[in-house]
Amino acid sequence: MCGIVGCVLKNRKVAPILLESIGKLEYRGYDSVGISTVDQNGIHLKKGSGKIKEVNEKIDLGELPGTTGIAHVRWATHGIPSTENSHPHTDNEGNISVVHNGIIENFSEIRESLEKEGYIFKSQTDTEIIPILIEKNMNKGLNLEDAVNEALKIIKGSYAIGVISKDNPNEIIGARNDSPLIIGVGDGDYFIASDATAIINHTKNVIYVDNGELVILNSEGVVVKDSKGNVVDKNIDVIDWDAEMAQKEGYDYFMLKEIHEQDSAIRDTLSEKDKIAEIISNLDGINRICFVACGTSFHASLTGKYLIESMSGISTDVILASEFRYSANTLDENTLVIFISQSGETADTLKALKLAKKTSKTLAIVNVLGSSATREADFVIYTRAGPEIGVAATKTYISQLVCIYMFAAILADNKELLNTLNEVPDYVSEVLSKEDVVKDIASKYSDVNDFFFIGRGLSYPTALEGALKLKEITYIHGEGYAAGELKHGPLALIDDDVPVVVVLPPGDNYKKTVSNLEEVKARGAHVIAIGSCEDDFIKTEVEDSFCINDKVKEIIAPLIYVVPLQLLSYYISVERGLDPDKPKNLAKCVTVE
Ligand code: F6R
């Protein structure tokens, strides 16, 4: 997973603009960075491994001549993070420079045959075959556009690319297949980028590039061509969020800012109600639902199963996208397969979506506008949470849940639940106003090695999500467990070194969960309960707690009870001196299977 940007500017030096823009994509990958520009003297290039700030301090990436250029942030897939493996990659003569996001599946065969022809490779990447194939085609007399087109004909896999060449100092060629690419249309300035965050400071007018399309950007403007070389008439969309929304707005980290945006994110998500009702009215004959997702989106899906089965009686499965292809395919035309994905670009989810489409109706619940999942699915619901930069999903989880709640409530014609959703933003604000309570708990437990999170029924996915947040940003081992399942094994691990977070909203499952709380307490565990502010048992019997408005009943608890768990992980991460926005080994969008 990587991020790319390219700019053709009217009369400004491009390198500083590329440096600023690629910084906005650091959430897509941050192990290496590079910039390449072109002018009458040819290709110029600077790159290195490390975060953008570190690399820039060493080699001053903004100091390159020219008004046309491309840039890249990398999250390694082929070859370790190193200067050689960083993008941009060039051809053997140094006349062509390429940035790439995606994976070329047949690169080893192509590399082998190019090596036999005498071409030299400097990196271990799959990408380097692209500039060399283009070089080979240009040596045969093709112009840059045709040379790129011919190269793409033999490449299998996913890509969004930006190409510059010494022969065309005012031009960038872009192309996409299964990796995101947009075009930005400014006032005489033109851009390509992996997403709009990178260019929003310069233009809000964007064109979404489709699979198989080739983009030609130059000082004259933008032309998009289909795979047969015909010019395509594309719409220009105006994006409705601004640059500040993608900045930290005074918070120390994006994650904290995004946790605090959850009340307003929910309000925006609720605006999708009519769209959801319209989709449901087109679902005649559906007698089974199957959710497919990864990670946090999987946890949101689990909540969907509880809601839909209990309110509509429609049999509902939840399958991890990476496991989808291994389950016997019993889907049919009466199954609705719902794909939940923040990015809409997760490779496992997209693969499953392509498979499911063959038999069933598909619905994608997605945050990123114009992302690949939205192009594949029959129906699309946008979560409308706005850009999420922190690697750990927070506001997008809540927004996914809100979409799922609206879907389940409309499907079951449960007007009461639908109305209750309007109260959720205020409950979330109330939790956020008490974040110092969580901060104190976090500082008490920041040195432990293991945590358990338990809950029953609708609170079980909340426990799973609390544990996932903890693992990814604090590097503490956290296990989410169904509270009733502890006694079937994991209770053996519980002692006074293992704090247990109990998700304990008032409702049908309360008493049984209290029994499980007593079980862990009896083994010496420190208990942290998240429960009602009117709960006397918690007040008197539990060591640490965070309390939530008593009006929040079990049915809507997942939307509110997860917030203190997000804050707990955030503050433990900060307490441990970590960067919660950029956990090691993880990327915001996972475009490899
Ligand atoms: C966890 C997290 C990941 C994603 C997962 C799926 O905080 O962000 O577990 O939920 O990689 O990503 P999307 O939702 O983009 O398909």
Side-chain angles (χ1 to χ4, degrees), residues 294-297 341-343 346 349 391-393 400 468-469 472 590:
C294 306
T296 288
S297 304
S341 176
Q342 184 286 127
S343 60
T346 302
T349 308
V391 165
Q400 289 172 346
L468 178 63
K469 289 288 91 89
E472 61 182 335
V590 186

Side-chain angles (χ1 to χ4, degrees), residues 339 348-358 362 364 373 376-377:
F339 292 84
D348 290 321
T349 308
L350 288 176
K351 197 79 182 187
L353 173 47
K354 281 180 185 151
L355 274 177
K357 264 174 80 168
K358 293 184 185 160
T362 55
E376 293 285 341

Side-chain angles (χ1 to χ4, degrees), residues 146-293:
D146 292 342
V148 173
N149 240 328
E150 286 305 306
L152 295 179
K153 280 186 190 155
I154 63 163
I155 285 171
K156 291 200 184 83
S158 59
Y159 53 79
I161 58 168
V163 184
I164 52 175
S165 153
K166 182 185 174 189
D167 288 1
N168 306 49
N170 293 314
E171 189 161 281
I172 297 176
I173 306 288
R176 84 159 266 190
N177 185 51
D178 286 344
S179 293
L181 190 69
I182 59 148
I183 300 167
V185 183
D187 183 14
D189 295 336
Y190 302 99
F191 307 84
I192 51 169
S194 298
D195 75 34
T197 320
I199 56 168
I200 196 168
N201 277 345
H202 305 287
T203 181
K204 290 187 171 190
N205 299 326
V206 300
I207 298 171
Y208 295 104
V209 181
D210 282 306
N211 277 343
E213 289 179 341
L214 197 84
V215 178
I216 303 122
L217 292 190
N218 56 36
S219 34
E220 310 293 307
V222 179
V223 175
V224 180
K225 292 187 178 174
D226 66 16
S227 53
K228 297 197 182 89
N230 303 314
V231 174
V232 188
D233 196 11
K234 302 284 286 186
N235 282 338
I236 299 185
D237 287 308
V238 181
I239 42 184
D240 59 2
W241 39 273
D242 55 30
E244 287 97 77
M245 284 172 75
Q247 303 301 323
K248 287 188 203 152
E249 288 172 0
Y251 289 99
D252 290 341
Y253 290 99
F254 282 112
M255 184 178 173
L256 188 60
K257 170 179 166 263
E258 286 155 5
I259 289 173
H260 276 266
E261 284 170 347
Q262 295 187 109
D263 44 358
S264 65
I266 296 167
R267 287 193 188 92
D268 291 344
T269 311
L270 286 169
S271 70
E272 286 294 278
K273 201 178 338 186
D274 292 346
K275 177 78 198 293
I276 295 173
E278 186 197 316
I279 291 174
I280 289 176
S281 70
N282 281 304
L283 290 179
D284 279 354
I286 294 300
N287 57 18
R288 182 180 165 200
I289 290 175
C290 177
F291 282 94
V292 181

